Amino acid sequence: MPEAMFAARASDATNREAAVTVDVAVVGAGFAGLYLLHRLRKAGFSVVVLEEGGDVGGTWYWNRYPGARCDIQTIDYGYTFDPELDTAWKWSEKYATQPEILRYFGFVADRYDLRRDIRFCTKVTSATWDDATGRWQLATDSGAAVSCRYYIMATGCLSAPKPPEIDGVKDFKGKVHFTGRWPHEGVNLKGKRVAVIGTGSSGIQSIPLIAEQAAELTVFQRTPNFALPAHNGPQPGDRKAMLENDPAAYREQARLSLAGVPYPQQMEVSWQLSEADRRARFETAWAAGDLVHILTQLWADQAVDADGNRLVADLIREKIQDVVKDPEIAAALTPHDHPFGAKRPCLDTNYYATYNRPNVTLVNLRQEPIKAITASGIATDRRSFDLDVIVFATGFDAMTGAIMAVHPITGRAGKSLSSVWAGGPQSYLGLTVAGFPNLFMITGPGSPSVLSNMAVSIEQHTDWVVDRLIAMRDAGFATIEATETAQAGWARHMADCSMLTLHRLANTWYTGANVPGKALGVMPYTGGVGPYRSICNEVVERGMLGFRLTGENVAEQCNDGEIVRLQPDVRLVLGMLAQMNLPPIETMGAQGARDFLNEFNKGRPAGRPVGEVGDGVLQGAEGPLPFKLYRPATPGPHPIVVYFHGGGWVLGDQQSDDPFCRDMCRRTGMIFVSVGYRHAPEHRFPAAAEDGYAATRWIAEHAAELGGRPGPVLVAGWSAGGNIAAVTCQLARDRGGVEIEGQLLVCPVTDCTYDRPSYTENAAGYFLTRGLMYWFWDIYCSPADRADPRASPLRGKLEGLPPAFVATAEFDPLRDEGIAYGEALAKAGVPVEQLNGHGQFHSSFTMVDVIITGVSGRVKMAEALRGFAGLPRQDSEQRAPEISVAAE
Ligand code: NAP
C-alpha cells in the first residue's frame, strides 16, 4: 500500500466562504459523514459536509495520543458497503493504530472522490428550522451560510471533550494536553514529569507508552476500570478465515448480532458449568484479547445477571492481583464499584504491568482527592506533585455533547434542542426528534451506537436514512418528522431495554454520570443491533409508523403509533417462535401437545440451584399424586407454598415449571411443593380442582415431615394452575381442613367467557391463543359445568378468602379475567395486590432466565408471599442478586 498517497492532508481552504444551498447538509467527516456523502451523492442528492477538523477521520483525526488504537478488531471495523473496498484495503494488525485508521479514511475519501464536497475547518455555529421554506438554515464560523432541506448530524458519540473540571488549570506553568485533542505534531515527553488524569480507554492506552518516555509518570485515578490484554499482533487466522470463506455471510451475521460482531449467542448459563469449565472459558477469552468475545462468550447470564457477572469480574480481579506486584497498588487498581461491562471496559497493552515500573506512581483520588492544579503541578489534600505536563484523559460529554452543546439547534416553533433534551435526550429510534423536522442523527442517543461495533451501526443508520430520503422524494414528500407518540413509545422501549443489561448499575458516560449536572439515564439502546435493525425495518413496513410526512403536492401521511409495545425479550422470543412456524398446539392432540411441551422445555435454561430438590407422592382426591419439593438453602423450617403448574389442565406436570419453582423458592426462602395433579382428557373437571384442594390439605397435614413450618400454607399457580390455586382457596374456606394464608395467582384462568377485550386483542400471536384456550376448556370441562366456581372461580363467593397477589400480562388473552378476579376479590374485602406486566405475555413470568424483564414481577410476587407468611421484607443483600439495585 503506497501509504503516502493516502496520508492525511489539510483541504484546500479556498472554497470555504461561498454560501451554499443543498438538499442535504451533513456535519462531520468521520466514519458516518463519509459514508453518508457517498450514498447521498450516488442517490442524486446535492450534499455538503461541514467538518471542523482539517481533514477526514472524525474521532481518529482528533485522538492522536500515544497508543491510540481501535479496540474492535479491525477486520470488523471498516466499511462493508462495497465488497471491493473490503478487499482493496488490508489492515496490518489485529488492532490498527490511529495513524493507520486515519490513512484508511483518507483512502476511502480518495477512492470515492469525497473531499470535493467537504468543507473542512468549518464549524456550524447554529442551525434553525424555517417552517416557511421547509429548510434548515445553518450559520458557520467561516461566515458562509448553508441552506439545506435535510440536516444530518454525523458528529460521533465521543467528540466533545469534557472541560478540565479542576480548579487552577490556567495557573499551571507547564503544558496541558487533552487526549481527545492531541497536538498533530506530537508531544515530546522524554525526561518530563508527566501526570495523566483519568483511567478510561484513552488513559489506559496511553499510560504504558507515556511511562516509557517520561522521567516520572503520576497517574491520578478516580475509578479503576477493567482492562484486558489486547494481545495485539497479526490478524487472528480464525476470524480472517471466517471472513474470507464467506464474506457476505460474515458481514450479515454481524448485522444481525447483538453487538455488531459475528459471535454466536451464548446459551449456557453459569450455574450449568463447573468452576473448572468457567475458568477454562475465561482463560480462552483472556488469551483471545477481544472485548466482544469476553463480554459475550463466557456464559449467557454474564451481562444480564449480577451473580453471573460477578464470576467474570472476580476472575479479572485475580489477574490484576497476579500482575501488579505491590498489593496496595493492585487493590487500588481493582474495580469493585460496577459490574464488568456496565462501564466500557478497555483493551490494553502492558497497562497493569506499568505500575511495577519505578518511575510510575498511582494516586488514588478516592483516598486523596485533587484540591487544585497549581503553578507547579497538582495538589491533593495530602501532597503536591511537581509536573511539567498534565494530560487530561478525562473523557467526553458523550452522545449528546456534540449534537447539543456545540451549536444551538432550533426546531419548529423556535424550540431549542437543549430545552427539549434538558431532562435527558428524547428521540425516535435514536435517529430523529419530534419537533425537529428533517433532522437526523447518526448513532444518536437512543440508537445502539456505542454499545455496538460502530461500523455496523453507522452503515445501518445511514442506509436507513438515505433510503427514506429516496422513498420520500419518489413519493413527493419533502418533510419528515417523528410524532410525540412514537417518541414517547421509544422512550418507554428504551427504558424496558435498559432493564435487560447491567449498564444502568454503573456511573458512566453511557448514563451521563461523567458530566456534572447532566441528566441521568442509559443513553444508548441496549436491545442490540440485530433487533434494532429489525425494528427500523418494521417502521418502514408499517407505513413509516410514527412519522408525519408532508409535501406540497401530496396528501399528508401520518401513521401514528408506537413501534414496540412488547418487552424487548418478549419480542425476541415471540419472533423466534414465529420463525419456527409451529403448527397450532391444539392441532397436535393431547399427547402430541405433551410431547411437544417436553421437547420445548428441554431447550430452556436450567433452573437455578436451590438447597434441595426432592420427589415424593401425596394423596390426591382419588389416589396418589407425584410432587416435587424445592427447599431453600437457608435453615428451616420454612413456610410451604403449594404450587400448581400451568398447561390448560391438559399439559405439564410437577416439574414442568421447574425454573419458576426454583426461582421463587430462592426469592421467597420458602419450600415450594409442585403438585402433579390429574389432567384432562383422562380426568376431566372437577378432577384437577379436587386434586388441588386434597393436595393442599395433605401437604398442610404433613408440613413437619416435609421439613416445613407447621400451620397454614400458601398456594400459588400459573395459568390453569392459577385457576386451581384460586379454586383451592374457595374450597378450603368452604370445606375447612386446611388453613391458607395467601394466594399467588399468575395469569390465572378465572372465568369461562371469552368476551373480554383481551381475548380479542390478544387472540393470536402471543403463544397462548384464543384457539388454544377454547381447546383447553373443551378438553377439561363440558359447557354445562363451566359456570361452576370450581371451574370459574370468578363466579364463586369471594368473601373470606386469603389475601391475594394477582399477576396478569398485557399481551395475554387471560389478562382481563385475571384483572376482574383481583377487582372482585378487592370488592369482597379480600386484601389484593395486582400487577399487570406491561409488554409481557402469558409465559413471561415463568420463562425464568429467558424473559429477563419478568424478574421485577417475580420480585413483587416473592415479597407478597413473604408478607402473607408473616416473614420480614428481604433487604437488598438477601434478595436474589439481579434485583439488588434499584431500577432507574
Ligand atoms: P472515559 O472512559 O470517560 O474515562 C475518563 C476517565 O477520566 C475516567 O477514569 C474518569 O473517572 C476520569 N475523570 C473524568 N473526570 C475526572 C475528574 N474531574 N477528575 C478526575 N478524574 C476524572 O474517557 P476515555 O478514556 O476518553 O474513553 C471514552 C470512550 O471513548 C471509551 O469508553 C471508548 O468507548 C472510547 N475510546 C475508544 C478507544 C478505542 O477504541 N480504542 C480509545 C479511547 C476511547 P470516573 O470513571 O471516576 O468518571
Side-chain angles (χ1 to χ4, degrees), residues 60 65 69-71 158 162 164-166 179 197-203 205 222-223 343-344 365-366 393-396 509 514:
W60 299 105
Y65 59 84
R69 287 175 187 274
C70 64
D71 56 12
L158 295 153
K162 282 203 314 167
E165 295 167 2
I166 300 171
T179 48
I197 305 176
T199 50
S201 299
S202 307
Q205 284 188 333
R222 189 161 68 182
T223 313
K343 187 172 189 146
R344 171 71 145 71
L365 298 180
R366 298 283 177 206
T394 44
F396 302 86
W509 60 259
N514 68 327

